[in-house]
Amino acid sequence: MIEPVKGHIRHHFSETDSTNVRARFLSEQGSPEWTIVTADFQSMGRGRRGNIWISESGQNLLLSVILRPQRAMEYWGCIPLLVGVAVVDALAEAESVGSQLKWPNDIMVDSRKLGGVLIETGETDGQRWMVAGIGLNVNQTVFPPDCKIPPTSLAMETGKKHGIDSLIPPLLDTLGSWYRTWNDFGNAKIIAAWKERTNMIGKTVLIQSGTSKLIGTMHDIAADGSMVLYGKDGTKRNIFAGDVTILSMNDSE
Ligand code: BTN
């Protein structure tokens, strides 16, 4: 049974290595679903694909949520998309900030990155667990010059400071709501919601993974959460991982 979102246990660190690492340990020790871990500062913040996540102390939201999905693992590929949808909705509802999703789950304002999601999974004593890590730039306005994607924050978008802790309840509410939808109905509603919150469909994209580069048109999201890409030669591919850059508005540009 899905626990009510408001019944969460919170572990807060003024400084830790990574909230995802702390949440992973708690998961391994049997902490219940919806336990959350937050921090003011991470010394080894983790990003997707082995990247580091750098965040100025006390300026941004660093949140990890323990989940214990009951659905078969073949459905889990949509959870990264689900978390992205929940973040976009929480920002719209609680902060009146419009954002879009970039596959799989970057939170964007136009071409600038407002936040990211890192999902980690494992199994301890036959119990599967998942940690959904969310990093959201809230009040930081100065960023390292070498960011791969130009960053932004809520403060930069709105010109005012935002509460950080006050973002957590609306975020857990939208996350809980989409999670229950996924649990009850499966992937289709999540994919439909994700597609309503992106402007990537039909665009030319570059997918980079290690030394491999692939250019194509993003056509759709498949039932397993992968990106459906058509190459210039018409070859259809499903993309499961990679760094994605949007190159143009449509294939003819
Ligand atoms: C990305 O690469 O876009 C994902 C970034 C995820 C960062 C968050 S911050 C809270 C949680 N703890 C981590 O170490 N990473 C995630």
Side-chain angles (χ1 to χ4, degrees), residues 25-48:
F25 286 143
L26 288 164
S27 305
E28 288 169 345
Q29 288 158 10
S31 284
E33 189 168 50
W34 295 110
T35 298
I36 66 166
V37 182
T38 53
D40 296 328
F41 179 71
Q42 298 181 130
S43 54
M44 287 176 62
R46 291 150 72 98
R48 282 180 60 241

Side-chain angles (χ1 to χ4, degrees), residues 17-21 42 44-48 51 53 61-64 105-106 113 115-118 133-136:
D17 45 2
S18 152
T19 56
N20 265 34
V21 171
Q42 298 181 130
M44 287 176 62
R46 291 150 72 98
R48 282 180 60 241
N51 292 321
W53 186 260
L61 180 66
L62 305 168
L63 168 71
S64 297
N105 50 19
D106 284 344
K113 183 160 169 168
V117 174
L118 176 67
I134 299 165
L136 200 62

Side-chain angles (χ1 to χ4, degrees), residues 102-104 106 149 200 205-208 227 242-246:
K102 178 163 153 291
W103 189 89
D106 284 344
I149 306 173
M200 283 183 83
V205 295
L206 164 69
I207 317 285
Q208 288 175 282
M227 179 201 287
D243 288 324
V244 180
T245 309
I246 301 172

Side-chain angles (χ1 to χ4, degrees), residues 1 10 14 16-17 34 37 41 54 56 66 69 73 90 92 95 140 144 150 157 172 181 187 210 213 236 249-250:
M1 165 169 160
R10 179 178 184 180
S14 51
T16 188
D17 45 2
W34 295 110
V37 182
F41 179 71
I54 298 173
E56 196 179 321
I66 295 175
M73 279 188 84
E95 304 296 322
Q140 186 168 341
E157 293 302 323
L172 290 172
T181 300
N187 289 356
K213 288 185 181 186
K236 182 182 166 192
M249 291 305 288
N250 59 53

Side-chain angles (χ1 to χ4, degrees), residues 73-122:
M73 279 188 84
E74 69 200 63
Y75 288 91
W76 289 25
C78 263
I79 296 197
L81 307 184
L82 183 162
V83 178
V85 168
V87 175
V88 167
D89 284 5
L91 291 175
E93 287 166 25
E95 304 296 322
S96 303
V97 169
S99 56
Q100 309 87 38
L101 291 165
K102 178 163 153 291
W103 189 89
N105 50 19
D106 284 344
I107 317 301
M108 308 292 291
V109 177
D110 302 325
S111 57
R112 297 176 302 280
K113 183 160 169 168
L114 182 62
V117 174
L118 176 67
I119 303 289
E120 299 188 78
T121 60

